[in-house]
Amino acid sequence: MHIHKYEKIWLIFGLTTLLVFLSVLGVSAFYLGNQPPSCLATINPEKVDTTKPFNKPGLKKVEGKDWDYELVFVASAFNYNPGEIEVPKGAKVKVIATTKDVIHGFEVAGTNINMMLEPGFISEFETTFDKAGEFLIVCNEYCGAGHHMMTSKIKVVEA
Amino acid sequence: MKRYGSLSAILYDEIVIIHFVIFTKGELREMPQPVIRKNTKAKTDDSSSLKGTLVSVFMVGLFLIATWVGVFYLFMDRF
Ligand SMILES: [Cu+2]
């Protein structure tokens, strides 16, 4: 079979980029251990208020873990608990969130924190808050009549 | 031509004759016979050239890579 010289060039180019992108994905998942925010951790959605750590939403310092703080959020139609929270700048934080009713979104605008909160599942995201400022949290999964008013705020303040 | 009357018809005939004379150079008896030429290469655009396609493919490819790298740097810059 005859393949034109140029055809060979772009076939190799296409296959190479495909391999590069798949390798990036593979290294990210299997070597760096990245996983989706909701990854097998479950909870009884009717007992969120009495289940640790969701019985005390907010920021708390933890010892002996890879992260310094745990930031716990509970979402329900149509608000987040806490409605506003301060985080010291430079803190290594694990954001842990779930919902009590329907699916909600959890997007911290202008950051990489963006996850879905599904009833029965716990969503987590680990990051270092290395920029000071106010960050708006918005629900980006339509959840009902008050969806557009469902917000919260993270204030990253100089420690 | 008939409906324009005989003057037009005459003029038309004149023109036809003049053209005939010009194109045959007046040599009516030595009109060349049409020759059927064989094995001639048809002159067409060379559509087998894939240069434009190559350039197009690389333009799309580089655009994809540029946007991917852009988004990756945005991802690295944010927390
Ligand atoms: Cu919502």
mmCIF file of all heavy atoms in Angstrom, chain A residues 104 139 141 143 147 150, ligand 1:
data_model
loop_
_atom_site.group_PDB
_atom_site.id
_atom_site.type_symbol
_atom_site.label_atom_id
_atom_site.label_comp_id
_atom_site.label_asym_id
_atom_site.label_seq_id
_atom_site.Cartn_x
_atom_site.Cartn_y
_atom_site.Cartn_z
ATOM 1 N N HIS A 104 -25.537 19.078 43.898
ATOM 2 C CA HIS A 104 -25.118 20.472 43.834
ATOM 3 C C HIS A 104 -23.731 20.542 43.215
ATOM 4 O O HIS A 104 -23.011 19.553 43.175
ATOM 5 C CB HIS A 104 -25.066 21.091 45.237
ATOM 6 C CG HIS A 104 -26.406 21.232 45.877
ATOM 7 N ND1 HIS A 104 -27.310 22.192 45.492
ATOM 8 C CD2 HIS A 104 -26.996 20.531 46.875
ATOM 9 C CE1 HIS A 104 -28.400 22.067 46.239
ATOM 10 N NE2 HIS A 104 -28.240 21.058 47.080
ATOM 11 N N CYS A 139 -22.743 27.317 43.040
ATOM 12 C CA CYS A 139 -23.321 26.032 42.669
ATOM 13 C C CYS A 139 -23.449 26.027 41.154
ATOM 14 O O CYS A 139 -24.107 26.888 40.586
ATOM 15 C CB CYS A 139 -24.691 25.854 43.322
ATOM 16 S SG CYS A 139 -25.497 24.311 42.879
ATOM 17 N N GLU A 141 -24.405 23.212 39.393
ATOM 18 C CA GLU A 141 -25.289 22.134 38.934
ATOM 19 C C GLU A 141 -26.699 22.590 39.275
ATOM 20 O O GLU A 141 -27.003 22.820 40.449
ATOM 21 C CB GLU A 141 -24.987 20.822 39.683
ATOM 22 C CG GLU A 141 -23.629 20.230 39.394
ATOM 23 C CD GLU A 141 -23.558 19.594 38.017
ATOM 24 O OE1 GLU A 141 -24.613 19.245 37.455
ATOM 25 O OE2 GLU A 141 -22.429 19.481 37.513
ATOM 26 N N CYS A 143 -30.037 23.009 40.697
ATOM 27 C CA CYS A 143 -30.577 22.236 41.814
ATOM 28 C C CYS A 143 -31.970 22.671 42.208
ATOM 29 O O CYS A 143 -32.557 22.118 43.138
ATOM 30 C CB CYS A 143 -29.624 22.334 43.006
ATOM 31 S SG CYS A 143 -29.259 24.027 43.495
ATOM 32 N N HIS A 147 -31.296 28.036 42.885
ATOM 33 C CA HIS A 147 -29.954 27.656 42.411
ATOM 34 C C HIS A 147 -29.029 28.857 42.208
ATOM 35 O O HIS A 147 -27.869 28.846 42.621
ATOM 36 C CB HIS A 147 -30.098 26.869 41.117
ATOM 37 C CG HIS A 147 -28.838 26.679 40.363
ATOM 38 N ND1 HIS A 147 -27.807 25.901 40.832
ATOM 39 C CD2 HIS A 147 -28.413 27.186 39.172
ATOM 40 C CE1 HIS A 147 -26.812 25.931 39.953
ATOM 41 N NE2 HIS A 147 -27.162 26.689 38.945
ATOM 42 N N MET A 150 -27.369 30.354 45.322
ATOM 43 C CA MET A 150 -26.625 29.439 46.174
ATOM 44 C C MET A 150 -25.130 29.740 46.085
ATOM 45 O O MET A 150 -24.462 29.349 45.132
ATOM 46 C CB MET A 150 -26.919 27.997 45.734
ATOM 47 C CG MET A 150 -26.305 26.962 46.624
ATOM 48 S SD MET A 150 -27.029 25.359 46.302
ATOM 49 C CE MET A 150 -25.872 24.355 47.222
HETATM 50 CU CU CU C 1 -27.210 23.952 44.361
#
